[in-house]
Amino acid sequence: MRRIVVAALLWMGLAAPALAAPLKIGYSAWPGWFPWKVAEAKGLFEKNGVEVQMVWFEGYADSITALVAGKLDANCQTLNDTIAPVAAGAKLKVVLTNDNSAGNDQIIVKKAIASIKDLKGKKLGAELGTVDHYLLLLGLQKEGLTQKDIQFTPIETGAAAAAFAAGRLDGVGVFAPFTTKALSTGRGKVLFSSKEFPGAISDHLVLRDEVVKARPADIQKVVKTWFDTLDYIQKHPEESLQIMAKQAGTSVADYKSYDSGTRIFGLEQNLATFAPETKDPVNLRYQSKIIADFLVKAGLAKTKPDTAALFEDKFVRALKP
């Protein structure tokens, strides 16, 4: 009898609000995603009429796994870390571009290492299959090397930074704020970074396809909240810096040092990223094809995925003045 009553209420639309669970959005330590903490702290999701549960992950790779496993509705992750699971069969949609990395993803090495060619035979670590592993391989490829030319150690990003600081690795691929830890002893230097590869590392809000189909109105409100948050940060910079630095586990001064290495994307930049394919490095359709080819060539994906259906731009376009 109870099931019949619930079914009737659903048919009349009366029970729907009570059954709408909060959207679970995963995020981890990256300057382009810390604005979401400001949105949460200042009640900006609620102001837009959407219930969101931000889920913090100490390990970035764990958040990607959680999304693919259906434990999250959405996650903050890079384009290459989205294309790889899509190649394995995951049904995902990119709905928002948070930023482009412009130097905050770094390959940090011992000071005695003068060039990328000097990495041959050296022990380097990065989180397997994720963004800075990708950056490391891009750098090696640029100089005609492959992963076979180094001693590669798969290691979680925070642990990689600590291992390098302790002298257990010759070099690491890490992203801010873990770059601060890796460089803290003064024995390391940045060999190259995402600054040398414009557009190669873009960061996004990525959803499971079934969630996009089931809850478009809520997703629209979340996307709007991103731009409202950027507006709030611009109007309240010191308060926002305190919130983001605290979540990052760094000082405000250290957090400010990450500014130039992350290009936060507002509405205009988002419209550009989702535009029809051009050879602009920030164009997602163009960059996704380059990444897909690279992932297969580097052995990070078994098959080249069709990225044509990966991008859902209607939520960004709906906010165009």
Side-chain angles (χ1 to χ4, degrees):
M1 179 65 183
R2 186 177 179 182
R3 292 182 181 179
I4 295 172
V5 172
V6 171
L9 288 172
L10 282 170
W11 181 80
M12 292 185 291
L14 297 177
L19 295 177
L23 279 170
K24 287 187 177 181
I25 301 177
Y27 73 128
S28 49
W30 170 250
W33 299 327
F34 287 128
W36 289 122
K37 186 61 182 179
V38 177
E40 181 183 44
K42 305 311 297 183
L44 301 183
F45 292 114
E46 290 85 346
K47 287 181 181 179
N48 279 319
V50 61
E51 191 174 356
V52 168
Q53 179 186 349
M54 295 301 301
V55 183
W56 175 255
F57 286 84
E58 292 291 342
Y60 168 55
D62 292 337
S63 71
I64 301 169
T65 302
L67 179 68
V68 174
K71 295 179 181 178
L72 294 171
D73 298 305
N75 190 45
C76 297
Q77 55 192 59
T78 67
L79 182 57
N80 68 288
D81 292 330
T82 301
I83 291 175
V86 167
K91 304 296 183 183
L92 304 174
K93 292 285 188 183
V94 174
V95 302
L96 177 71
T97 300
N98 301 109
D99 66 272
N100 267 202
S101 179
N104 275 338
D105 288 276
Q106 300 174 354
I107 303 303
I108 296 171
V109 298
K110 292 179 177 178
K111 288 186 174 180
I113 296 174
S115 69
I116 294 175
K117 288 187 180 296
D118 292 338
L119 295 178
K120 194 168 186 177
K122 298 295 191 296
K123 190 174 182 180
L124 289 101
E127 197 157 354
L128 181 66
T130 60
V131 56
D132 290 293
H133 185 194
Y134 174 54
L135 177 62
L136 173 61
L137 294 176
L138 282 176
L140 291 173
Q141 178 183 256
K142 187 178 179 181
E143 295 297 329
L145 301 175
T146 70
Q147 187 169 295
K148 293 179 180 178
D149 293 306
I150 64 172
Q151 297 180 58
F152 179 72
T153 300
I155 183 171
E156 186 271 328
T157 303
F164 179 77
R168 295 196 297 271
L169 293 170
D170 297 312
V172 286
V174 292
F175 51 82
F178 300 106
T179 49
T180 300
K181 174 67 175 178
L183 293 167
S184 62
T185 62
R187 295 195 294 267
K189 67 177 183 180
V190 179
L191 184 62
F192 64 92
S193 75
S194 51
K195 187 176 182 179
E196 282 93 320
F197 299 93
I201 300 176
S202 58
D203 301 291
H204 305 278
L205 181 65
V206 180
L207 288 99
R208 291 185 290 117
D209 184 53
E210 62 192 90
V211 179
V212 173
K213 292 175 180 175
R215 303 182 65 173
D218 284 339
I219 296 164
Q220 185 68 70
K221 292 170 183 176
V222 170
V223 171
K224 182 179 184 300
T225 300
W226 172 256
F227 301 112
D228 289 350
T229 302
L230 299 187
D231 184 58
Y232 186 92
I233 291 171
Q234 186 176 32
K235 292 176 179 176
H236 306 88
E238 293 307 316
E239 178 192 19
S240 299
L241 276 170
Q242 291 283 351
I243 292 170
M244 293 187 288
K246 182 178 180 181
Q247 186 66 31
T250 68
S251 67
V252 170
D254 278 340
Y255 195 87
K256 284 182 177 179
S257 72
Y258 306 143
D259 281 351
S260 63
T262 302
R263 290 180 56 213
I264 301 294
F265 277 28
L267 181 56
E268 185 177 341
Q269 292 97 331
N270 263 269
L271 291 168
T273 66
F274 283 104
E277 185 176 343
T278 67
K279 290 189 177 181
D280 186 335
V282 305
N283 184 278
L284 297 179
R285 300 173 202 283
Y286 170 69
Q287 197 63 240
S288 66
K289 291 180 179 179
I290 295 174
I291 292 171
D293 285 337
F294 182 88
L295 292 177
V296 173
K297 184 178 179 181
L300 297 178
K302 291 183 179 179
T303 59
K304 182 181 175 181
D306 179 8
T307 59
L310 180 58
F311 307 108
E312 182 51 85
D313 62 358
K314 67 180 181 182
F315 303 107
V316 169
R317 284 191 290 104
L319 297 173
K320 184 177 180 180

